[in-house]
Amino acid sequence: MKRAILVALTPLVLVLGACSLIPRPGVWHPIGAVPGTAGVWALVPLSGGRVLALGAPGGNAMFDPGRMQWSRVASMPPGLVEASATRLPDGRVFVVGAGEASFYLPAQDRWQATTPPPTIRQRQAAALLGDGRVLLVGGVIEGAATATTEIFDPARASWRRAAPLALPRIAPTATPLPDGRVLLTGGYGDESEIFATQFGFNQARPYPPELYDPVRDRWTTVPFAPQVANPATISLPDGTVMATAGFDGRIPSHVTQVFDWRTGLWTVKAQNPGGGGPAVILGDGRIALLGGSNAYDPGQDRWEALTPASIPVDQAIELPAGRALAVASQPFTGGTAATPSLIFDPAGYPALPGSSGPLASLPLFRTLAAISVALALLTGARLFWTRWRS
């Protein structure tokens, strides 16, 4: 009897066990150009899974994943240059830059001016605090990198200064943590450093991460395990923060590390064999770097190749059903052409260089699994019939 059961289950176990060997590269679906803009600098999540695309010159659009289509929306005020965008708990989108500030009201499709900030700041980071206020960090003031920070209260439409950073930095990344603090990573010391780093003319300077406590109004430094410059950063479902890729001097970094807000420590993970780019969390739990065409599986602590996009991905955001929306970078559009956009579906199994073998085909895998289940059921029925007759 034991032998019969083993024979019945063996085909099913073999096929299901092979599932871990099957590549999951995903598929890309083109959805047309983002209307009304020659470049998108921010994708903001709205209610119902919709996405607001803020672009230049002032053109904005909204993507509806239910209809799989873009539509134009009210243009942003022209004074909001090199700004930041933050979705508020009440559904409004707060946009601030170059000394101006406005709310976008999605339900009414209109912009509403609010109290301008006390400083004319550009290329700053912004983070939503736990009480609904918005923290602005760093950026450029009067042509130089700044360490100053400010907090905006949407309920009172008022501003106040906050504690400065340890180091001035341009275009850092601010990530809210579950306990209300904010983790700041990356950034540049000046505009020339941005250009030199991107084109490999100079070594990228690693800025140590800093942690902001809004209760104490205080910043503290929490250095990376190995120091890297400008990694891709994303908040994981458990509140930890993953930082990967970036630069190690003039060369791309392959370091992956995770910050645990409970301990204040960074832990090194499996090395990233690919590049960086915008990071999103897929429906299967993997963290995808769509610009680098790779994904990290936190359960297995390993990286997997993804199907490369047909465009250089500059912005990406999660969509319902575990998919992601991606748009091209501004250099790709040349500042004049329409901005192409794509949907990434991690459930697809297209042909991919390096993923040879019959199990690289999802339809074939499903067929083999169905055959295995059928064999198991037939063997079990035969065993039952034999025992019943005896």
Side-chain angles (χ1 to χ4, degrees):
M1 179 179 176
K2 291 182 179 180
R3 183 179 180 183
I5 295 175
L6 180 61
V7 171
L9 295 179
T10 295
L12 181 62
V13 171
L14 289 175
V15 174
L16 295 180
C19 183
S20 62
L21 303 177
I22 298 175
R24 297 176 290 169
V27 291
W28 290 93
H29 304 287
I31 53 173
V34 182
T37 178
V40 174
W41 58 267
L43 295 173
V44 185
L46 301 178
S47 62
R50 298 173 301 162
V51 176
L52 174 67
L54 300 175
N60 304 315
M62 186 179 298
F63 180 72
D64 185 337
R67 298 179 178 179
M68 290 288 288
Q69 67 182 20
W70 289 97
S71 59
R72 295 196 62 169
V73 296
S75 294
M76 185 170 56
L80 293 171
V81 180
E82 293 187 321
S84 59
T86 308
R87 184 191 177 189
L88 302 177
D90 61 9
R92 294 179 296 172
V93 178
F94 175 62
V95 180
V96 56
E100 296 191 19
S102 292
F103 297 113
Y104 175 68
L105 285 60
Q108 303 173 31
D109 187 25
R110 68 182 181 90
W111 290 85
Q112 179 184 63
T114 188
T115 308
T119 55
I120 301 177
R121 182 191 307 263
Q122 296 171 280
R123 305 197 73 174
Q124 72 275 354
L128 182 67
L129 300 178
D131 57 7
R133 297 179 300 163
V134 179
L135 172 70
L136 294 191
V137 185
V140 178
I141 296 179
E142 297 181 352
T146 182
T148 62
T149 67
E150 297 163 338
I151 293 179
F152 177 70
D153 187 342
R156 296 182 174 87
S158 62
W159 292 87
R160 78 167 182 84
R161 296 187 184 278
L165 298 166
L167 294 171
R169 58 182 85 189
I170 303 171
T173 300
T175 306
L177 300 176
D179 61 359
R181 293 178 297 171
V182 176
L183 179 68
L184 193 76
T185 56
Y188 300 88
D190 54 49
E191 297 282 0
S192 62
E193 184 181 324
I194 299 176
F195 179 83
T197 300
Q198 290 177 344
F199 289 91
F201 297 151
N202 199 359
Q203 291 191 3
R205 179 182 176 185
Y207 288 84
E210 296 187 47
L211 200 59
Y212 179 67
D213 185 340
V215 176
R216 296 181 174 87
D217 187 27
R218 184 175 66 185
W219 290 91
T220 54
T221 302
V222 284
F224 284 125
Q227 289 294 326
V228 294
N230 291 297
T233 308
I234 185 171
S235 179
L236 303 183
D238 62 357
T240 58
V241 179
M242 187 181 84
T244 186
F247 289 91
D248 180 5
R250 285 188 175 91
I251 62 175
S253 170
H254 299 288
V255 172
T256 300
Q257 46 196 320
V258 173
F259 178 75
D260 191 329
W261 54 276
R262 292 156 294 201
T263 64
L265 300 176
W266 291 90
T267 303
V268 176
K269 300 294 184 178
Q271 283 211 338
N272 176 358
V280 296
I281 300 177
L282 303 176
D284 55 17
R286 291 179 297 165
I287 296 91
L289 274 65
L290 297 180
S293 303
N294 54 349
Y296 177 71
D297 186 335
Q300 302 292 328
D301 187 28
R302 70 180 183 188
W303 289 86
E304 302 171 353
L306 297 179
T307 304
S310 59
I311 59 174
V313 175
D314 184 60
Q315 300 283 338
I317 191 171
E318 291 99 348
L319 291 177
R323 299 171 300 169
L325 170 67
V327 298
S329 59
Q330 285 184 315
F332 176 75
T333 66
T336 56
T339 304
S341 61
L342 304 170
I343 294 289
F344 180 73
D345 184 357
Y349 288 73
L352 183 70
S355 61
S356 59
L359 292 182
S361 167
L362 179 61
L364 181 56
F365 173 76
R366 287 175 172 167
T367 301
L368 292 174
I371 293 173
S372 300
V373 172
L375 288 174
L377 292 176
L378 287 173
T379 305
R382 181 179 179 183
L383 176 64
F384 174 79
W385 174 256
T386 303
R387 290 180 58 83
W388 180 78
R389 291 190 62 183
S390 61

